[in-house]
Amino acid sequence: MAMVSMKTESDENEGEMYPEELCIELEAEQLSKLGINAPMRVGTEVTITARAYVKEASTTMVEGGVEPSIELQITDMSVAAGNSMGSAATMLYGG
């Protein structure tokens, strides 16, 4: 399955940004389990592989239709520093 960019257009910042809901915070216990024992520099690119289950699913009535949403609970994951899967552009958009 190909990766898809999660960037969104923002009128107030006049640029592209990522939704805050897609941010994952890992604390000391999770970092230790992943074998990350030293701080990483802000901006370091990492590759995440994860398994999750749908914890919650809902729909909201909005003007013009229905808007679905899901909450995912990550159960297993790995984090690799660097670009271990090739370039981001290739991962997102193919060769």
Side-chain angles (χ1 to χ4, degrees), residues 7 38 60 74 92:
K7 283 186 178 181
T60 305
I74 297 172
L92 293 172

Side-chain angles (χ1 to χ4, degrees), residues 31-91:
L31 292 172
S32 178
K33 286 182 177 184
L34 292 167
I36 300 171
N37 300 310
M40 296 177 123
R41 290 180 50 199
V42 173
T44 299
E45 186 175 311
V46 299
T47 300
I48 299 172
T49 304
R51 177 176 293 121
Y53 66 86
V54 177
K55 183 176 178 178
E56 187 175 316
S58 64
T59 56
T60 305
M61 295 297 292
V62 295
E63 188 175 317
V66 176
E67 191 172 273
S69 67
I70 61 171
E71 183 176 329
L72 300 175
Q73 175 65 57
I74 297 172
T75 60
D76 304 272
M77 70 183 295
S78 66
V79 176
N83 198 355
S84 64
M85 294 181 65
S87 77
T90 301
M91 286 178 15

